[in-house]
Amino acid sequence: MTRHPATRRLCRKCHAELGVDDSRCEACGASNPVPVPWYTPILGLAIVALLFLLLVDFSDVAKVLGFE
Ligand SMILES: [Zn+2]
């Protein structure tokens, strides 16, 4: 995981400073979801695509496309 020490997060309820990985404010107990990086959905799609490639039987696909 890449960390960004310069990024400061504040509690959305009491504006106390939060730790980088804190999802709960230590001062007031409010829930502050850790923001997910922009590439998270792309990573998810890549994993799904990889599983698809591993599970699909390519001999059938090759037949359909005329490679066999
Ligand atoms: Zn708070």
Side-chain angles (χ1 to χ4, degrees):
M1 270 304 261
T2 314
R3 282 176 177 264
H4 303 279
T7 309
R8 289 169 69 244
R9 295 173 57 233
L10 300 177
C11 174
R12 60 183 175 185
K13 194 172 168 189
C14 73
H15 302 286
E17 195 165 336
L18 298 168
V20 176
D21 295 321
D22 287 348
S23 58
R24 190 163 290 274
C25 176
E26 282 181 21
C28 72
S31 171
N32 292 272
V34 177
V36 292
W38 62 267
Y39 54 78
T40 301
I42 296 169
L43 203 66
L45 275 175
I47 291 167
V48 169
L50 194 69
L51 282 172
F52 183 76
L53 289 173
L54 289 171
L55 293 173
V56 167
D57 186 354
F58 276 99
S59 61
D60 287 344
V61 177
K63 265 181 215 164
V64 168
L65 295 175
F67 291 128
E68 227 170 78

